[in-house]
Amino acid sequence: SECMLDLDVITQQEELSYIQNNNLEIPLITSYHDYQSTPEEKKLIEVMSIMMNYKPAIIKIATKCNKPEDGLR
């Protein structure tokens, strides 16, 4: 089985940039966490765009749902 490295796109940009700049072939999960709320759709799209720059195998977004509508974004 293949291992993957999960790095947060906000707090671990230095590590993500190192992998990218050195052309390391490490299967990545880029993740984003917001433990207070679910950001508006515009912010989520912006975060996903940043995440895609690192060419991850998986994108993971984990947010706190404060109302039912948050789960639909």
Side-chain angles (χ1 to χ4, degrees):
S1 73
E2 190 172 303
C3 294
M4 302 184 95
L5 182 60
D6 186 344
L7 294 172
D8 186 279
V9 73
I10 303 300
T11 63
Q12 295 177 301
Q13 284 186 348
E14 183 177 344
E15 291 88 345
L16 286 163
S17 293
Y18 180 86
I19 291 167
Q20 186 177 48
N21 293 338
N22 290 284
N23 297 317
L24 301 179
E25 294 186 23
I26 299 172
L28 288 176
I29 300 170
T30 53
S31 60
Y32 170 79
H33 304 88
D34 186 331
Y35 299 109
Q36 305 303 315
S37 64
T38 298
E40 294 298 321
E41 187 173 341
K42 181 179 178 183
K43 173 69 175 180
L44 291 173
I45 291 170
E46 179 183 308
V47 168
M48 287 181 12
S49 177
I50 294 168
M51 296 168 100
M52 291 302 295
N53 288 331
Y54 298 106
K55 298 178 176 58
I58 297 172
I59 288 178
K60 178 178 75 175
I61 296 176
T63 64
K64 180 180 179 187
C65 293
N66 290 309
K67 55 187 184 256
E69 298 79 30
D70 289 343
L72 299 175
R73 287 191 261 150

